[in-house]
Amino acid sequence: MKLRIQGNSVRFRLTQTEVKNLSEGNPVYEKTEFGEVDFGYRVRVNREWEAQFSQGLISISVPESLVKDWANTDQVSLHFVMESDKGNDLEILVEKDFKCLVDRPGEKDNFPHPKAGELEC
């Protein structure tokens, strides 16, 4: 799983295995170790959308009904906006991670790119 953060936007990109695991109700988790402190990020299935950041962990919950449809179709992403009292809403995307159009190491479990053979990166 990859995590991309820009401003008030957080994108989680999941491999084929991670999407399958999530659709079976299993959480997907990664961490980055900063010396003695871990920074973690997790996507899990629940009844409704939720987003939290606590004790170095970003945790997103996605409704089970959305995950099942997403996992078994060509749909690329799930989208949620968490409203903020401060007016800076948080945009959350959970996406299927596609292979780049040019081979890169470590992309063996990514989804085939829909435009493979058409373009170059």
Side-chain angles (χ1 to χ4, degrees), residues 100-117:
C100 186
L101 294 172
V102 173
D103 286 339
R104 290 189 181 170
E107 289 191 340
K108 59 184 175 254
D109 191 34
N110 292 36
F111 287 86
H113 197 290
K115 294 187 179 191

Side-chain angles (χ1 to χ4, degrees), residues 82-89:
M82 187 172 101
E83 294 181 5
S84 167
D85 293 339
K86 297 178 184 178
N88 299 322
D89 297 345

